Amino acid sequence: MSGPGALPDIPTAGGTLGAPRKVRFGLASRLLLLVTLFVMLAEVFIYVPSIANFRNNWLRDRLSAAFTAAMVFEAAPADMVPEGLSEQILASVGAKVIVLKMKDSRRLLAAMDMPPQIDDRFDLRDPGAFESIAAAFRTLTSPPGRYLTVTGPGPMGAEFIEITLEEAPLAKAMRAYSINILLLSLVISAIVACFAVLALHLMVLRPVRRLTSSITDFGSNPENAAQIIEPSGRAHEIGVAEDALAVMQRTLLDELNQKKHLAALGLAVAKINHDLRNMLSSAQLLSDRLAELSDPMGRRLAPKLVATLDRAIAFCQSTLTYGRAAERAPRPRKLSLRQLVGDVADAVAPDGARVKISNETPENFDLRADSEHLYRVLLNLARNAVDEIGRA
């Protein structure tokens, strides 16, 4: 504990509740990591169709070059294209074989180093999304030495054109594109994460840290009014939390001050109670001597005085140290109401000089009640009535 009225340190499984824990991995770091992961995840969803689209565009470029080559081969007389020029044209296209399919024939326009086998085929005339994605990942994971045949729309009234090419250059281009996408994603993630963390730090983390600091500071010294948070007045959830925290801290401070005041009052009442009980005990001893007097009035009033002192001593003993009376549980028993009313009349007006109290309770009127509680009720009523008569 750090002072009077401070909250005690409560041991828990993770440490002490009263002592603030050291934060090793704060909200800002977690938020930065989460934003980076979310941006990278979004980039994955963007990358999958984009890599498939990159592959299709790369193959379309090769088909476009093959269209041009096909027109050259079609325009040249039969077998008039030199072999060296044919190889240069195929090299510029990046293909090993160019085939043109007409309505009634299939024509081999050019060929160079015929591949031993065709490992995969792909039709670019109407590619589906899932088919393109699956083909793209087959290319990315393909080993060297694979050959691919690509089919596309045919020029000059042909049904289609086919080119057979080595898949390794395509895989290399796709991997370079993937690396560029990865680097770009990392840069975008870093930029977005920094801006997101900065915005959330200003809008969320800093107000939350202010709340946390106020709670821990107030918990270490709840009797210090300077530790009460000053609400920012912002119209959002954290602003509402600040208002609620300020109300709670003020209420707790008032409760603690009231408890402290009541504790001091209880100590004073306990001392008064002790001294008063001693004085009443002495008065009780003196009242016992009154019973030995020869005066009839003294002999009649002495027992009632003793009973009254006994009640006062019992009431003092039931007084708590916090300045309030703790009533004992009622103990009902059979008693005579006429006798109890007579005791009250003798206590309020023992000589009948100021006021005369007429006891008209029937002789045989008995009831079950707590005599001490009922006596105090009737005594208060009788004294109030006497006081009002005296003011009239």
Side-chain angles (χ1 to χ4, degrees):
M1 299 180 67
S2 59
L7 297 179
D9 294 343
I10 302 175
T12 61
T16 303
L17 186 62
R21 294 180 299 162
K22 183 179 180 181
V23 179
R24 298 181 179 178
F25 193 57
L27 291 177
S29 302
R30 298 181 187 183
L31 184 61
L32 181 61
L33 179 60
L34 285 177
V35 171
T36 303
L37 290 177
F38 291 154
V39 172
M40 293 300 295
L41 183 62
E43 289 292 340
V44 168
F45 287 109
I46 296 173
Y47 166 76
V48 171
S50 66
I51 192 64
N53 188 55
F54 174 84
R55 179 179 183 273
N56 292 345
N57 290 335
W58 194 92
L59 293 176
R60 286 192 183 98
D61 292 341
R62 297 301 177 269
L63 284 177
S64 298
F67 292 164
T68 304
M71 289 187 289
V72 171
F73 289 123
E74 282 292 322
D79 300 329
M80 291 300 294
V81 178
E83 183 177 352
L85 179 60
S86 176
E87 292 179 357
Q88 290 179 4
I89 293 175
L90 286 173
S92 65
V93 174
K96 298 294 183 180
V97 179
I98 299 178
V99 176
L100 189 63
K101 176 65 172 66
M102 306 302 290
K103 291 182 180 180
D104 52 357
S105 64
R106 187 183 182 92
R107 182 179 176 186
L108 180 63
L109 296 181
M112 178 182 65
D113 298 334
M114 292 294 293
Q117 64 178 5
I118 305 300
D119 298 291
D120 199 1
R121 292 181 177 273
F122 190 72
D123 193 342
L124 267 177
R125 288 175 293 181
D126 188 19
F130 292 103
E131 181 184 0
S132 299
I133 293 173
F137 281 97
R138 285 200 304 269
T139 300
L140 280 174
T141 57
S142 64
R146 279 171 49 95
Y147 285 90
L148 171 67
T149 295
V150 183
T151 304
M156 301 174 295
E159 291 186 10
F160 60 82
I161 186 173
E162 283 184 352
I163 60 172
T164 300
L165 47 81
E166 194 174 357
E167 203 173 25
L170 174 59
K172 182 179 179 180
M174 291 176 64
R175 292 188 183 103
Y177 176 79
S178 301
I179 293 174
N180 292 335
I181 288 292
L182 176 61
L183 295 177
L184 181 62
S185 300
L186 291 175
V187 172
I188 293 175
S189 300
I191 295 174
V192 172
C194 289
F195 279 110
V197 169
L198 178 62
L200 289 174
H201 172 76
L202 296 176
M203 299 173 62
V204 178
L205 295 180
R206 187 167 65 178
V208 167
R209 285 172 180 168
R210 184 168 176 262
L211 278 174
T212 305
S213 300
S214 177
I215 292 173
T216 54
D217 294 343
F218 186 81
S220 63
N221 187 11
E223 293 183 354
N224 187 2
Q227 302 291 354
I228 297 177
I229 189 172
E230 185 67 28
S232 61
R234 295 175 180 173
H236 49 61
E237 290 81 357
I238 298 180
V240 174
E242 290 175 347
D243 294 337
L245 179 61
V247 172
M248 183 189 69
Q249 289 175 338
R250 292 191 188 97
T251 303
L252 181 58
L253 180 62
D254 293 340
E255 291 279 345
L256 290 175
N257 290 334
Q258 185 177 8
K259 293 288 185 182
K260 188 176 180 180
H261 175 71
L262 288 177
L265 179 61
L267 182 60
V269 170
K271 294 179 180 179
I272 296 173
N273 178 36
H274 180 267
D275 295 339
L276 181 60
R277 188 170 52 196
N278 292 335
M279 288 186 287
L280 289 176
S281 298
S282 301
Q284 187 180 30
L285 294 175
L286 294 176
S287 65
D288 292 339
R289 302 293 299 273
L290 293 177
E292 301 175 1
L293 298 177
S294 59
D295 183 38
M297 178 65 70
R299 296 175 63 85
R300 185 174 67 85
L301 295 180
K304 300 182 183 298
L305 178 59
V306 171
T308 302
L309 291 174
D310 288 338
R311 291 189 181 97
I313 293 173
F315 182 74
C316 287
Q317 290 176 344
S318 66
T319 304
L320 298 177
T321 58
Y322 282 92
R324 59 182 178 89
E327 297 288 351
R328 61 171 175 80
R331 290 180 291 202
R333 62 181 179 85
K334 185 177 181 181
L335 56 89
S336 172
L337 183 60
R338 180 177 180 82
Q339 181 180 352
L340 187 64
V341 172
D343 293 341
V344 171
D346 291 336
V348 174
D351 54 358
R354 283 200 310 162
V355 63
K356 183 178 181 181
I357 299 178
S358 177
N359 187 358
E360 298 181 1
T361 309
E363 288 284 350
N364 56 351
F365 191 92
D366 296 335
L367 73 160
R368 286 185 58 82
D370 188 296
S371 59
E372 294 298 327
H373 290 183
L374 186 58
Y375 176 83
R376 282 157 50 190
V377 171
L378 296 177
L379 183 64
N380 289 333
L381 291 175
R383 281 178 177 170
N384 293 338
V386 171
D387 291 341
E388 289 298 325
I389 292 174
R391 296 191 191 100

